[in-house]
Amino acid sequence: MVRKDEDMEVDSLESLKQEYYQGKHLAEPVKEIEDKWKLLPAFLKVKGLVKQHIDSFNYFVNVDLQKIIKANEKVTSDVDPHFYLKYTGIRVGMPERTDDDVANRSYTPHECRLRDLTYSANIFVDVEYTRGRQIVKRKNVMIGRLPIMLRSSHCVLSD
């Protein structure tokens, strides 16, 4: 009996790889609400719920943060027309502790649970701004911390 269930699951996955699924072309827009609900189990079989969340987090950290910075890259002043602040890059580091008195700054999610800490990493930006008439460029300016999702690309458990 178990073998038959496995064969049905393989057949179901194979049917998802075809050009047509339940009589409709895969490239067609899904307009009916009933058809949209049918997509969810198919999506979960192929992708999995956890993998989808991890991929979404990785996309946010690696791509969307760059787009947000690009869309809002230059900040100008209403008071001084010569002053501006321009973001030229952003990146999220690996999770590390904020204690100054330790040699090894990396930590694990398990240690965070035990010590009631947030498993997070620094957010760094590169900026360019004016001081008087002089343009100043600074790299790796820390602007905050971002909680890191377990098994994401920035987690120590990713490998």
Side-chain angles (χ1 to χ4, degrees), residues 30-93:
V30 181
K31 295 180 181 175
E32 300 296 322
I33 193 73
E34 292 83 17
D35 291 339
K36 290 180 181 182
W37 279 106
K38 289 177 186 175
L39 284 177
L40 183 62
F43 176 80
L44 292 176
K45 281 182 187 175
V46 172
K47 189 83 166 175
L49 189 59
V50 174
K51 180 74 172 132
Q52 187 269 332
H53 284 293
I54 292 171
D55 290 347
S56 177
F57 179 83
N58 287 337
Y59 188 83
F60 171 73
V61 170
N62 299 323
V63 178
D64 279 345
L65 282 178
Q66 292 288 342
K67 289 180 180 179
I68 292 168
I69 287 294
K70 191 69 176 166
N72 303 292
E73 72 179 351
K74 194 167 188 177
V75 179
T76 57
S77 170
D78 293 337
V79 177
D80 183 0
H82 298 291
F83 178 81
Y84 71 90
L85 173 77
K86 183 178 179 183
Y87 295 102
T88 57
I90 186 169
R91 74 200 138 280
V92 177

Side-chain angles (χ1 to χ4, degrees), residues 14-25:
E14 287 301 318
S15 68
L16 293 175
K17 295 177 185 176
Q18 303 302 319
E19 198 170 336
Y20 288 88
Y21 183 72
Q22 294 187 351
K24 295 187 180 184
H25 194 274

